[in-house]
């Protein structure tokens, strides 16, 4: 009321205007810095124990005394077209850190960044050459014959192929995270629709480009939700730029998202043709390295974690596989969230991580 | 809405975007998701990609072949030659890994051998 009687009270003084502009400039500077700099991610101490070509196997330094460690070591296998740092995002919010604190002997398979010489790498190379060799080394270092494996996204696909073809290699527990395994519904999700369209020619892409550039994969993933990814995320950052907790998380995630890498050409070709277009894994017609992949051969205990709001791997691509698995002990765990959010989002520590940990703990001694 | 307008600074450069988002970003996002999930979009994207790859192919091929020619004349290895070399190195690495596996197996099978190849601790003078 007082203001309406005194119109001059609504007019900001020159000093107020200058202050506001100064604050806005500071915000812009901070905004720009967050967009163009890298946060410190993947900080947990680890030792390199094996290498082959670009692939590396790391062992995280256990934080519990040896007698308190679970007997079965855990191997983390991430996708081949992104860096695996999202599993160890930042101190205080890292899945690796969480599992170490719960007494696991944790190993990480880092596929590395493929060069032009790796354009012929296929899923059979990842699943039957690199992974078994890394697992052999893991078993030697851990002095254990059995191990657990957690595969995420295409890492889950590689893990499943390996588990089906090498069921007696010591794999005791398999955790599948947002695993793209069943492509029978061609209208489920943008990727499925785009890749199964006859116009989309993966052979031509690989023939002309060799490895598929990271920018192409990144743009494709972002185009699944264009407004959120190209605009929403930055507006959200601007709104919360004074919230230091939000900033830390956003900066770490953006650092990981910006670290794009190419995908080996032959593996991309196989992903589009054999999986997205022909759905060979579920049809039991997938032949890898001369061996037929049969899901009924998978014997390890399986925890299939499905993100209910996953736009990259829609739930239907993961859930129907359960009936075909040969495992006696299998469970589906549905989590609210998206493809990455269920493991790296703010709720992961309360929902996804404890469930996986509990499931593994019951089967790791 | 009035409260939002009151709390929002008139000098915030992103204010315009915020208003826009509050008014219809969700609807816009849903529309875009629906759009990119249509067959027409999939077909158009595929066709554009094919056109770009086919159109830029001859240019890329010309650049690569002339570059290879220049490198050969300068007695420098071409990209293909380095690629072949890298592939050979990977094969050698695999053979080394096989040997490493055999050594590990042998050490595990015979703990006495493992002890004998462990270097003895240096004696203090």
């Amino acid at each position: 009321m007082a203001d309406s009687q005194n119109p001059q009270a609504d007019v900001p003084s020159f000093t107020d205007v200058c202050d506001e502009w100064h604050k806005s400039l500071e915000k812009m500077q901070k905004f720009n810095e967050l967009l163009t700099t890298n946060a410190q991610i993947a900080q947990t101490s680890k030792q390199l124990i094996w290498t082959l070509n670009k692939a590396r196997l790391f062992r995280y330094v256990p934080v519990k005394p040896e007698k308190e460690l679970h007997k079965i070591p855990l191997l983390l296998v991430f996708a081949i077209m992104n860096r695996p740092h999202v599993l160890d995002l930042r101190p205080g919010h890292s899945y690796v850190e969480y599992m170490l604190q719960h007494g696991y002997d944790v190993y990480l398979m880092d596929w590395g960044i493929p060069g032009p010489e790796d354009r012929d790498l296929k899923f059979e190379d990842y699943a039957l050459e690199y992974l078994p060799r890394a697992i052999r080394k893991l078993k030697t270092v851990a002095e254990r014959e059995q191990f657990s494996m957690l595969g995420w996204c295409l890492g889950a696909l590689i893990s499943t192929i390996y588990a089906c073809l090498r069921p007696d290699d010591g794999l005791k527990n398999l955790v599948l995270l947002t695993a793209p395994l069943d492509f029978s519904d061609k209208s489920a999700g943008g990727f499925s629709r785009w890749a199964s369209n006859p116009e989309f020619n993966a052979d031509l892409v690989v023939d002309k480009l060799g490895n598929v550039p990271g920018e192409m994969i990144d743009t494709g993933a972002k185009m699944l939700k264009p407004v959120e990814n190209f605009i929403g995320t930055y507006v959200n950052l601007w709104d919360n730029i004074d919230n230091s907790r939000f900033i830390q998380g956003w900066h770490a995630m953006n650092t990981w998202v910006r670290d794009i890498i190419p995908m080996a050409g032959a593996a991309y070709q196989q992903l589009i043709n054999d999986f997205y277009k022909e759905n060979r894994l579920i049809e039991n017609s997938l032949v890898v390295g001369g061996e037929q992949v049969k899901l009924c051969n998978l014997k390890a205990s399986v925890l299939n974690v499905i993100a209910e709001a996953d736009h990259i791997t829609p739930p239907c691509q993961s859930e129907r596989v359960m009936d075909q698995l040969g495992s006696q002990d299998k469970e589906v765990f549905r989590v609210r969230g998206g493809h990455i959010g269920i493991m790296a989002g703010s709720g992961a520590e309360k929902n996804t991580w404890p469930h996986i940990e509990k499931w593994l703990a019951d089967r790791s001694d | 809405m009035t409260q939002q307008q009151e709390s929002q600074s008139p000098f915030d450069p992103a204010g315009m975007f915020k208003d826009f988002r509050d008014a219809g970003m969700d609807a816009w996002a849903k529309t875009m998701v629906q759009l990119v999930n249509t067959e027409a979009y999939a077909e158009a994207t595929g066709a554009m990609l094919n056109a770009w790859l086919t159109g830029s192919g001859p240019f890329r091929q010309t650049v690569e072949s002339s570059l290879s020619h220049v490198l050969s004349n300068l007695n420098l290895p071409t990209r293909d030659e380095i690629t072949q070399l890298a592939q050979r190195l990977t094969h050698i690495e695999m053979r080394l890994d096989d040997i490493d596996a055999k050594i590990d197996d042998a050490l595990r099978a015979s703990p006495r051998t493992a002890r004998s190849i462990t270097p003895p601790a240096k004696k203090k003078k």
Side-chain angles (χ1 to χ4, degrees):
Chain A
M1 278 302 276
D3 285 351
S4 61
Q5 285 172 350
N6 180 11
Q8 280 189 337
D10 286 339
V11 180
S13 69
F14 179 71
T15 326
D16 291 340
V17 173
C18 288
D19 278 352
E20 284 295 336
W21 270 102
H22 185 68
K23 276 182 202 163
S24 293
L25 282 172
E26 275 181 348
K27 275 173 87 171
M28 282 171 86
Q29 206 173 1
K30 199 169 172 185
F31 185 79
N32 185 45
E33 196 183 306
L34 288 166
L35 288 182
T36 52
T37 57
N38 287 336
Q40 297 284 312
I41 59 172
Q43 294 294 295
T44 307
S45 298
K46 55 185 184 288
Q47 299 164 326
L48 178 67
I49 59 167
W50 173 90
T51 64
L52 176 61
N53 192 5
K54 316 295 178 341
R56 293 178 297 173
L57 179 69
F58 291 99
R59 183 193 190 198
Y60 287 96
V61 178
V63 295
K64 295 267 180 183
E66 202 175 331
K67 59 182 178 187
E68 287 178 34
L69 289 180
H70 289 287
K71 284 180 185 159
I72 309 286
L74 171 64
L75 172 64
L76 308 175
V77 180
F78 194 59
I80 49 176
M81 73 292 201
N82 285 107
R83 305 295 288 133
H85 308 321
V86 69
L87 285 157
D88 180 25
L89 202 56
R90 62 190 164 93
H93 189 71
S94 151
Y95 177 67
V96 167
E97 200 179 78
Y98 181 87
M99 294 307 273
L100 288 173
Q101 280 162 1
H102 283 82
Y104 289 85
D105 189 9
V106 184
Y107 294 78
L108 173 75
M109 183 73 189
D110 180 353
W111 299 111
I113 303 170
E117 66 277 14
D118 301 315
R119 66 172 283 171
D120 296 326
L121 284 182
K122 290 181 165 184
F123 279 93
E124 57 208 62
D125 296 301
Y126 291 117
L128 297 182
E129 279 291 347
Y130 288 71
L131 198 51
R133 287 168 186 273
I135 286 166
R136 181 198 64 74
K137 196 66 190 178
L138 178 155
K139 290 197 283 189
T140 306
V141 171
E143 296 180 346
R144 301 285 177 196
E145 282 307 311
Q146 290 188 309
F147 64 99
S148 301
M149 187 155 61
L150 180 146
W152 190 355
C153 187
L154 288 188
L157 177 57
I158 293 169
S159 305
T160 304
I161 294 171
Y162 166 82
C164 292
L165 293 176
R166 300 288 179 268
D168 302 318
D169 214 8
L171 177 63
K172 187 167 188 292
N173 309 305
L174 176 63
V175 181
L176 301 172
L177 281 179
T178 64
L181 304 172
D182 177 5
F183 301 91
S184 41
D185 187 351
K186 304 292 181 202
S187 61
F191 274 152
S192 233
R193 200 180 279 273
W194 302 343
S196 55
N197 191 287
E199 278 290 335
F200 188 75
N201 188 347
D203 299 341
L204 183 68
V205 173
V206 175
D207 181 46
K208 298 291 180 194
L209 302 177
N211 288 336
V212 181
E215 291 79 3
M216 194 171 145
I217 296 167
D218 184 52
T219 307
K222 284 180 176 165
M223 280 307 289
L224 292 171
K225 281 188 170 182
V227 177
E228 282 94 330
N229 290 321
F230 290 113
I231 299 165
T233 183
Y234 303 108
V235 174
N236 204 14
L237 171 64
W238 183 266
D239 281 354
N240 292 284
I241 206 145
D242 295 323
N243 177 347
S244 61
R245 204 168 156 212
F246 175 89
I247 294 284
Q248 273 185 350
W250 194 95
H251 197 202
M253 184 54 84
N254 192 52
T255 302
W256 176 73
V257 168
R258 277 176 1 125
D259 192 5
I260 51 177
I261 60 168
M263 183 173 170
Y268 178 81
Q269 218 168 347
Q270 205 176 9
L271 177 69
I272 302 296
N273 295 338
D274 289 357
F275 295 99
Y276 274 102
K277 285 186 195 285
E278 295 175 19
N279 196 23
R280 289 197 172 183
L281 183 63
I282 296 296
E283 305 286 335
N284 278 320
S285 60
L286 180 68
V287 177
V288 166
E291 298 178 60
Q292 189 183 356
V293 184
K294 291 180 181 167
L295 288 166
C296 61
N297 286 346
L298 199 154
K299 296 285 183 280
S301 299
V302 174
L303 174 65
N304 190 356
V305 182
I306 295 173
E308 287 183 333
D310 194 339
H311 61 293
I312 294 174
T313 305
C316 67
Q317 289 184 0
S318 310
E319 61 198 358
R320 286 196 286 251
V321 77
M322 294 303 278
D323 299 336
Q324 294 196 33
L325 297 178
S327 317
Q328 297 298 311
D329 173 22
K330 45 192 174 182
E331 178 187 325
V332 173
F333 176 51
R334 291 174 165 274
V335 196
R336 268 192 194 173
H339 192 71
I340 300 298
I342 60 160
M343 281 298 275
S346 52
E349 211 162 339
K350 286 178 192 155
N351 302 318
T352 322
W353 301 353
H355 192 95
I356 296 173
E357 195 281 316
K358 173 78 174 56
W359 186 86
L360 278 174
D362 292 344
R363 293 160 179 82
S364 292
D365 290 311
Chain B
M1 195 65 191
T2 318
Q3 274 180 338
Q4 270 182 348
Q5 276 170 355
E6 276 173 4
S7 64
Q8 190 178 296
S9 161
F11 309 106
D12 186 350
M16 203 172 66
F17 284 107
K18 279 186 202 170
D19 285 347
F20 181 60
R21 177 197 58 190
D22 292 342
M25 194 146 138
D26 281 349
W28 187 31
K30 276 179 193 159
T31 310
M32 286 304 289
V33 168
Q34 280 170 359
L35 176 75
V36 299
N37 272 295
T38 57
E39 281 302 325
Y41 178 85
E43 208 170 309
T45 312
M48 268 162 49
L49 187 63
N50 287 349
W52 173 65
L53 290 169
T54 315
S56 62
F59 172 73
R60 207 178 300 118
Q61 214 170 2
T62 311
V63 171
E64 274 173 23
S65 64
S66 23
L67 206 60
S68 300
H69 195 65
V70 171
L71 288 169
S72 301
N73 284 339
L74 291 170
N75 262 345
L76 290 170
T78 62
R79 184 192 176 102
D80 281 349
E81 285 164 345
I82 292 175
T83 298
Q84 282 168 17
L85 194 63
Q87 283 169 342
R88 286 177 66 185
L89 278 174
T90 302
H91 289 138
I92 292 168
E93 266 190 285
M94 283 187 179
R95 296 288 82 80
L96 285 174
D97 193 61
D98 292 340
I99 294 167
D100 186 47
K102 283 180 181 156
I103 293 171
D104 283 342
D105 286 347
L107 290 176
R108 226 176 338 188
S110 167
R112 284 177 62 189
T113 319
R115 275 201 298 275
S116 68
I117 62 165
T118 309
K122 282 181 184 174
K123 287 179 184 173
K124 284 181 184 175
K125 284 183 181 175

